[in-house]
Amino acid sequence: MRLFFSGFRKLTRRPASWVTLGLLVGLLALIIVAVGATANGANTARDAAARNLVTFPGAYGRILEFITGLGGLFAVIYGAAIAGSEWGWGTLKSAVARGESRVRYMLLSFASVAVMIGVGIVITFVVGVVAAIVGAHLANVSTSGLGDSPTLTDLPERLARSWFAVVEEGALGFTIATLARSQLAGIGAGIAFYFGESFASIFLPDIVKYMPFSVANAALTTTSSGATTSGGFGGAVSALPADQALVLVGVWLVGALIVTALFSDRAEITG
């Protein structure tokens, strides 16, 4: 536990933690407020869709979808930045020289990342709800659904699903940077993987729905079937049932951490 808390304190002081969170929060708030401000009450399809974004209780789910979707990209970058720094800055080498287990050190480092992701999701969600309330007032939309009891009852489960999904995406970036032993290479490869999966959804939708970012998005919904997730580049992927997707999220997460552990245990440490 000492190593975990030490890693967590280290992350709270890292600029990458607050820059990543600030960008995600800023984008979410800007988009929601801008959408609310431009929903002028006309009966066009565009304005109806805009009002839908700031209408509660549905706004809760759409905020979480945004966090899991775009937030997944930020999680990949963040995970890669943290893992890459362990190699590039020589902190892993120093820990091993003190007698720490490589596997234990890397896994506890990722556990710290997972907790930071959880903190970031909660902060982003709260800011998103506030922005949606502001957007609703700008769009002259009632906020009577803000206290909808069934939605609020389901909210903790959906937040937990979102955290689990985003942690899986962060684990991919963490593993890629570990294999590359470089921050820049890990971030670049992670971004390429994210957009490559989106692009592949146009041509290989039946395969892409099992890929890590697609299952992360599918796991967020509480419906059992018939859902679709955004495939990027104008495409849509028929999503897996939420519970099945959640299992695959766990498989991708555990698989990524196993690869990280095996590589860290056998790799030559330089720097």
Side-chain angles (χ1 to χ4, degrees), residues 16 20 24 67-84 110 113 117 165-178 182-197 212-214 216 256:
T20 303
L24 180 60
I67 292 172
T68 307
L70 186 59
L73 174 60
F74 282 91
V76 169
I77 296 171
Y78 183 61
I82 300 305
F110 179 74
V113 171
I117 288 174
V166 176
V167 164
E168 173 242 28
E169 294 166 313
L172 294 178
F174 194 88
T175 299
I176 291 170
T178 297
S182 166
Q183 278 184 314
L184 291 179
I187 292 172
I191 293 173
F193 191 9
Y194 179 90
F195 287 106
E197 182 179 318
F213 298 106
S214 294

Side-chain angles (χ1 to χ4, degrees), residues 148-174:
D148 183 70
S149 180
T151 301
L152 294 178
T153 300
D154 291 339
L155 200 54
E157 178 189 351
R158 299 200 71 185
L159 278 167
R161 284 175 177 264
S162 180
W163 171 77
F164 192 53
V166 176
V167 164
E168 173 242 28
E169 294 166 313
L172 294 178
F174 194 88

Side-chain angles (χ1 to χ4, degrees), residues 28-82:
L28 176 61
L30 179 63
I31 290 171
I32 292 177
V33 172
V35 166
T38 56
N40 55 20
N43 292 322
T44 64
R46 182 185 67 83
D47 288 315
R51 290 194 298 273
N52 194 39
L53 180 62
V54 294
T55 301
F56 290 94
Y60 288 122
R62 284 180 281 277
I63 291 168
L64 284 176
E65 289 171 4
F66 181 96
I67 292 172
T68 307
L70 186 59
L73 174 60
F74 282 91
V76 169
I77 296 171
Y78 183 61
I82 300 305

Side-chain angles (χ1 to χ4, degrees), residues 41 45 68-69 94 100 109 149 167 188 227 249 253 268:
T68 307
S94 299
E100 298 285 356
S109 293
S149 180
V167 164
V249 167
L253 173 60
E268 179 183 354

Side-chain angles (χ1 to χ4, degrees), residues 104-121:
R104 181 170 177 269
Y105 181 84
M106 291 300 288
L107 291 182
L108 287 177
S109 293
F110 179 74
S112 301
V113 171
V115 173
M116 286 296 294
I117 288 174
V119 173
I121 286 175

Side-chain angles (χ1 to χ4, degrees), residues 194-219:
Y194 179 90
F195 287 106
E197 182 179 318
S198 295
F199 184 76
S201 66
I202 301 173
F203 308 103
L204 302 168
D206 292 335
I207 295 175
V208 168
K209 67 181 181 181
Y210 297 102
M211 298 301 286
F213 298 106
S214 294
V215 297
N217 290 327

